[in-house]
Amino acid sequence: MKVIDAHIHLDSYETKQRDEILNSLKENEVEALISVSMDLASCKKNLDFQLQSSQVFTAFGFHPEQEIPSEEVTQALLKWIREHNDQMIAIGEVGLPYYRNQEQTLDYKPYIELLEKFIKLAYEVSKPTVLHAVYEDADIVCCLLEKYKIKKAHFHWFKGNKHTIKRMIENDYYISITPDVLYENEIQELVEIYPLNRLMVETDGPWPFEGPFKGAYTHPSFIHESVRKIAEIKELELEEVYTCLYENTKEFYGV
């Protein structure tokens, strides 16, 4: 009954919590962590964690829910990623700033241009792409993925309308489910619709959760509850769901 956390921000944890997580992976039957990056400093930290633990795999990128970087900073990041291409398993986390745009109307053009640079890089180095793209932003991202014929795309913590979901399924894109599947109707409905062979599970830690997880710091062990809920929603045997989610992640990321 092993699991892989398909999306976590290891570098965003306090040192004590991160150490507790890494030291308890085996006892919690968590085989691996896919640690995504926020910027160049984050990429370097995640690479250090990967070098220290055989259970950590890293993705390099720039999280979109922050101010757009200067061209100089962008080029430095892209250059560093190319130089360390062999040490990453994916480009990520990259995408569009949906939530920030809800708070303040943004000029999306530079964000789309930046995302296209990362998608183009993913195509050039033949690596999967880890995406932060929800609701209407997902359609913009789908257009870019289709433009570069990117097949290995992982939309983490995805939410969207049925038209977009259908488009993503037709393109064989993967999504990952967070622990809020235990109490969020929107996520439960998504699990009903999306094929099991295109699902993964994640925590997006240290992001906190409600329901049975309220007050606890986010640990990859939460994923076991997510798997049980997915099996319940899809009315499938628990062992079958465990196996499929595990194999999906191993195959997608090559871990």
Side-chain angles (χ1 to χ4, degrees):
M1 299 295 193
K2 293 179 292 187
V3 294
I4 297 172
D5 190 336
H7 190 101
I8 187 170
H9 295 265
L10 264 185
D11 64 301
S12 295
Y13 280 90
E14 295 177 6
T15 301
K16 182 182 177 182
Q17 292 177 347
R18 181 168 55 249
D19 289 345
E20 287 174 352
I21 287 170
L22 293 173
N23 291 331
S24 64
L25 292 178
K26 186 175 181 180
E27 67 185 76
N28 285 294
E29 296 187 277
V30 179
E31 183 169 286
L33 308 174
I34 311 299
S35 190
V36 298
S37 303
M38 300 284 291
D39 52 24
L40 181 53
S42 176
C43 290
K44 292 177 178 178
K45 288 179 183 177
N46 278 317
L47 179 55
D48 285 342
F49 300 146
Q50 176 175 283
L51 294 173
Q52 295 165 23
S53 172
S54 61
Q55 292 178 282
V56 175
F57 299 87
T58 60
F60 301 145
F62 183 87
H63 197 293
E65 297 283 354
Q66 51 189 332
E67 285 188 18
I68 205 80
S70 67
E71 183 62 20
E72 182 182 2
V73 168
T74 298
Q75 291 306 319
L77 174 56
L78 293 170
K79 181 176 182 288
W80 189 90
I81 292 175
R82 285 190 175 92
E83 290 171 349
H84 295 82
N85 171 45
D86 292 340
Q87 293 171 293
M88 70 177 179
I89 60 167
I91 296 288
E93 173 175 3
V94 296
L96 295 174
Y98 178 85
Y99 298 107
R100 194 160 178 261
N101 192 46
Q102 301 305 298
E103 298 173 0
Q104 50 180 305
T105 304
L106 300 172
D107 177 5
Y108 251 43
K109 188 172 183 288
Y111 284 96
I112 294 171
E113 290 173 348
L114 177 62
L115 174 58
E116 184 165 7
K117 289 175 182 176
F118 283 115
I119 289 177
K120 185 179 179 182
L121 178 58
Y123 172 79
E124 290 172 0
V125 299
S126 299
K127 290 288 172 75
T129 311
V130 188
L131 295 152
H132 173 100
V134 297
Y135 301 115
E136 57 265 27
D137 284 1
D139 286 304
I140 300 172
V141 173
C142 283
C143 288
L144 289 173
L145 294 170
E146 290 163 0
K147 176 180 177 180
Y148 289 95
K149 297 180 173 59
I150 299 289
K151 290 298 182 183
K152 298 198 78 174
H154 168 198
F155 288 72
H156 101 95
W157 206 338
F158 173 75
K159 300 102 172 169
N161 62 43
K162 290 184 178 180
H163 170 78
T164 305
I165 293 169
K166 182 174 183 290
R167 180 181 185 182
M168 288 168 57
I169 292 171
E170 288 173 348
N171 282 335
D172 282 334
Y173 299 151
Y174 285 70
I175 64 171
S176 50
I177 304 301
T178 52
D180 67 347
V181 68
L182 271 74
Y183 54 86
E184 287 286 352
N185 290 336
E186 183 180 19
I187 305 301
Q188 292 170 3
E189 290 169 4
L190 178 61
V191 168
E192 273 191 89
I193 297 169
Y194 224 85
L196 181 63
N197 66 356
R198 289 295 176 268
L199 289 183
M200 294 185 269
V201 277
E202 62 156 301
T203 58
D204 198 25
W207 187 269
F209 291 93
E210 298 296 320
F213 313 108
K214 188 171 183 177
Y217 81 83
T218 298
H219 191 287
S221 61
F222 290 6
I223 283 174
H224 291 289
E225 295 300 324
S226 300
V227 177
R228 293 185 186 98
K229 188 64 179 180
I230 292 168
E232 176 190 317
I233 293 168
K234 287 194 168 294
E235 299 181 344
L236 295 170
E237 291 294 327
L238 182 59
E239 186 174 351
E240 176 188 351
V241 175
Y242 261 107
T243 300
C244 192
L245 295 171
Y246 175 77
E247 293 298 334
N248 289 348
T249 313
K250 282 184 71 72
E251 180 181 351
F252 183 87
Y253 283 112
V255 298

